[in-house]
Coordinates of all heavy atoms in Angstrom, one line a residue:
N25 N 85.6 53.9 -129.5 CA 85.8 55.3 -129.8 C 86.8 55.5 -131.0 O 86.7 56.3 -131.8 CB 86.2 56.2 -128.7 CG 85.0 56.5 -127.7 OD1 83.9 56.7 -128.2 ND2 85.4 56.5 -126.4
A26 N 87.8 54.6 -131.0 CA 88.7 54.6 -132.2 C 88.3 54.0 -133.4 O 88.9 54.0 -134.4 CB 90.1 53.9 -131.6
R27 N 87.0 53.3 -133.3 CA 86.5 52.6 -134.5 C 87.4 51.5 -135.0 O 87.4 51.2 -136.3 CB 86.2 53.7 -135.6 CG 85.4 54.9 -135.2 CD 84.0 54.6 -134.9 NE 83.2 55.8 -134.7 CZ 83.0 56.5 -133.7 NH1 83.6 56.2 -132.6 NH2 82.2 57.6 -133.7
I28 N 88.0 50.8 -134.1 CA 88.8 49.6 -134.5 C 87.8 48.5 -135.1 O 86.8 48.3 -134.4 CB 89.6 49.2 -133.4 CG1 90.7 50.2 -133.0 CG2 90.3 47.8 -133.6 CD1 91.6 49.9 -131.8
G29 N 88.1 48.0 -136.2 CA 87.2 47.0 -136.8 C 87.2 45.7 -136.1 O 86.1 45.1 -136.0
T30 N 88.4 45.1 -135.7 CA 88.4 43.7 -135.1 C 89.4 43.7 -133.9 O 90.3 44.3 -133.9 CB 88.9 42.8 -136.2 OG1 88.1 42.9 -137.4 CG2 88.9 41.3 -135.8
V31 N 88.9 42.9 -132.9 CA 89.7 42.7 -131.8 C 89.9 41.2 -131.6 O 89.0 40.5 -131.5 CB 89.1 43.3 -130.5 CG1 89.9 43.0 -129.3 CG2 88.9 44.8 -130.7
R32 N 91.2 40.8 -131.4 CA 91.5 39.4 -131.1 C 92.4 39.4 -129.8 O 93.5 40.0 -129.8 CB 92.4 38.8 -132.3 CG 91.5 38.8 -133.6 CD 92.3 38.2 -134.7 NE 91.6 38.0 -135.9 CZ 90.8 37.0 -136.3 NH1 90.8 36.0 -135.5 NH2 90.2 37.0 -137.4
Y33 N 91.8 38.7 -128.8 CA 92.6 38.7 -127.5 C 92.9 37.3 -127.1 O 92.3 36.3 -127.6 CB 91.8 39.4 -126.4 CG 90.5 38.7 -126.0 CD1 90.6 37.8 -125.0 CD2 89.3 39.0 -126.6 CE1 89.3 37.1 -124.5 CE2 88.1 38.3 -126.2 CZ 88.2 37.3 -125.2 OH 87.0 36.7 -124.7
G34 N 93.9 37.2 -126.3 CA 94.4 35.8 -125.9 C 93.7 35.3 -124.7 O 92.7 34.5 -124.8
A35 N 94.0 35.7 -123.5 CA 93.5 35.1 -122.3 C 92.3 35.9 -121.8 O 92.2 37.1 -122.0 CB 94.6 35.1 -121.2
K36 N 91.4 35.2 -121.1 CA 90.2 35.8 -120.5 C 90.6 36.6 -119.2 O 91.6 36.2 -118.6 CB 89.2 34.8 -120.2 CG 88.5 34.1 -121.3 CD 87.6 33.0 -120.8 CE 86.5 33.6 -119.9 NZ 85.5 32.5 -119.4
D37 N 89.8 37.6 -118.9 CA 90.0 38.3 -117.6 C 88.7 38.2 -116.9 O 87.7 38.9 -117.1 CB 90.3 39.8 -117.9 CG 90.6 40.6 -116.6 OD1 90.4 40.0 -115.5 OD2 91.0 41.7 -116.7
D38 N 88.6 37.2 -116.0 CA 87.3 36.9 -115.3 C 86.9 38.0 -114.3 O 85.9 38.0 -113.8 CB 87.4 35.6 -114.6 CG 87.5 34.4 -115.5 OD1 86.9 34.5 -116.5 OD2 88.2 33.5 -115.2
K39 N 87.8 38.9 -114.0 CA 87.6 39.9 -113.0 C 87.2 41.3 -113.6 O 86.4 42.1 -113.0 CB 88.8 40.1 -112.0 CG 89.0 38.9 -111.2 CD 90.1 39.1 -110.1 CE 90.3 37.9 -109.2 NZ 91.3 38.2 -108.2
A40 N 87.7 41.6 -114.7 CA 87.5 42.9 -115.3 C 87.3 42.9 -116.8 O 87.3 43.9 -117.4 CB 88.7 43.8 -115.0
G41 N 87.1 41.7 -117.4 CA 87.0 41.6 -118.9 C 85.7 42.2 -119.4 O 84.6 41.8 -118.9
A42 N 85.8 43.1 -120.3 CA 84.5 43.7 -120.9 C 84.2 43.2 -122.3 O 83.6 43.9 -123.0 CB 84.8 45.3 -120.9
C43 N 84.7 42.0 -122.6 CA 84.5 41.4 -124.0 C 83.8 40.1 -123.7 O 83.8 39.2 -124.6 CB 85.8 41.3 -124.7 SG 86.5 42.9 -125.1
G44 N 83.1 39.9 -122.6 CA 82.3 38.7 -122.4 C 82.5 38.0 -121.1 O 81.6 37.3 -120.7
S45 N 83.6 38.3 -120.4 CA 83.8 37.6 -119.1 C 82.9 38.2 -118.0 O 82.2 37.6 -117.3 CB 85.3 37.7 -118.7 OG 86.0 37.0 -119.6
V46 N 82.9 39.5 -117.8 CA 82.1 40.2 -116.8 C 80.8 40.8 -117.6 O 79.7 40.7 -117.2 CB 82.8 41.3 -116.1 CG1 81.9 42.1 -115.2 CG2 84.0 40.7 -115.4
L47 N 81.1 41.5 -118.7 CA 80.1 42.0 -119.6 C 80.7 42.2 -120.9 O 81.9 41.9 -121.1 CB 79.6 43.4 -119.1 CG 80.4 44.6 -119.3 CD1 79.6 45.8 -119.2 CD2 81.6 44.6 -118.4
N48 N 79.9 42.4 -122.0 CA 80.4 42.6 -123.3 C 79.9 43.9 -123.8 O 78.8 44.1 -124.3 CB 80.0 41.5 -124.2 CG 80.6 41.5 -125.6 OD1 81.3 42.5 -125.9 ND2 80.7 40.4 -126.2
L49 N 80.8 45.0 -123.8 CA 80.5 46.3 -124.2 C 80.2 46.3 -125.7 O 79.5 47.2 -126.3 CB 81.5 47.3 -123.9 CG 81.6 47.7 -122.4 CD1 82.7 48.7 -122.2 CD2 80.3 48.3 -121.9
F50 N 80.9 45.3 -126.5 CA 80.7 45.3 -128.0 C 79.4 44.8 -128.4 O 79.0 45.0 -129.6 CB 81.9 44.4 -128.5 CG 83.2 45.0 -128.3 CD1 84.3 44.1 -128.5 CD2 83.4 46.2 -127.9 CE1 85.6 44.6 -128.3 CE2 84.7 46.7 -127.6 CZ 85.8 45.9 -127.8
E51 N 78.5 44.4 -127.4 CA 77.2 44.0 -127.9 C 76.1 45.0 -127.4 O 74.9 44.9 -127.7 CB 76.8 42.6 -127.2 CG 77.6 41.4 -127.8 CD 77.2 40.1 -127.1 OE1 76.5 40.2 -126.1 OE2 77.6 39.1 -127.6
E52 N 76.6 46.1 -126.8 CA 75.7 47.1 -126.5 C 75.3 48.1 -127.6 O 76.0 48.0 -128.7 CB 76.3 48.0 -125.3 CG 76.6 47.2 -124.0 CD 75.4 46.6 -123.4 OE1 74.3 47.3 -123.5 OE2 75.4 45.5 -122.9
R53 N 74.4 48.9 -127.5 CA 73.9 49.7 -128.6 C 74.7 51.0 -128.8 O 74.2 52.2 -128.8 CB 72.4 50.0 -128.4 CG 71.5 48.8 -128.3 CD 70.1 49.2 -128.0 NE 69.5 50.2 -129.0 CZ 68.4 50.8 -128.9 NH1 67.6 50.5 -127.8 NH2 67.9 51.6 -129.8
F54 N 76.0 50.8 -129.0 CA 76.9 51.9 -129.3 C 76.9 52.2 -130.8 O 76.3 51.4 -131.6 CB 78.3 51.7 -128.8 CG 78.4 51.7 -127.2 CD1 78.7 50.5 -126.6 CD2 78.2 52.8 -126.5 CE1 78.8 50.5 -125.3 CE2 78.3 52.8 -125.1 CZ 78.6 51.6 -124.5
N55 N 77.5 53.3 -131.3 CA 77.6 53.6 -132.7 C 78.6 52.9 -133.4 O 78.7 53.0 -134.6 CB 77.8 55.1 -132.8 CG 79.1 55.6 -132.2 OD1 79.7 54.9 -131.3 ND2 79.5 56.8 -132.5
H56 N 79.3 52.0 -132.7 CA 80.3 51.1 -133.4 C 80.4 49.8 -132.7 O 80.5 49.8 -131.4 CB 81.6 51.8 -133.5 CG 82.7 51.0 -134.1 ND1 82.7 50.6 -135.5 CD2 83.8 50.4 -133.6 CE1 83.8 49.8 -135.7 NE2 84.4 49.7 -134.6
R57 N 80.4 48.7 -133.4 CA 80.6 47.4 -132.8 C 81.7 46.6 -133.4 O 81.6 46.1 -134.5 CB 79.3 46.6 -133.0 CG 78.1 47.1 -132.1 CD 76.9 46.2 -132.3 NE 75.8 46.7 -131.6 CZ 74.6 46.1 -131.5 NH1 74.4 45.0 -132.1 NH2 73.6 46.7 -130.8
P58 N 82.9 46.5 -132.7 CA 84.0 45.8 -133.3 C 83.7 44.3 -133.4 O 82.9 43.8 -132.6 CB 85.2 46.1 -132.3 CG 84.7 47.3 -131.6 CD 83.2 47.3 -131.5

């Protein structure tokens, strides 16, 4: 929603991670994909 261009994260979150660990919201069909 903030239209942030790039995200760089350190450690994985296997229980609640939404950038690939549990799911990846950035690959869904939203109007912006960081």
Side-chain angles (χ1 to χ4, degrees):
N25 285 324
R27 307 295 193 270
I28 292 174
T30 304
V31 176
R32 296 180 179 272
Y33 69 91
K36 291 176 58 179
D37 185 355
D38 292 325
K39 295 188 175 182
C43 298
S45 293
V46 177
L47 76 165
N48 191 342
L49 287 180
F50 296 165
E51 292 182 351
E52 299 299 324
R53 296 176 60 187
F54 293 111
N55 57 347
H56 177 69
R57 292 184 181 182

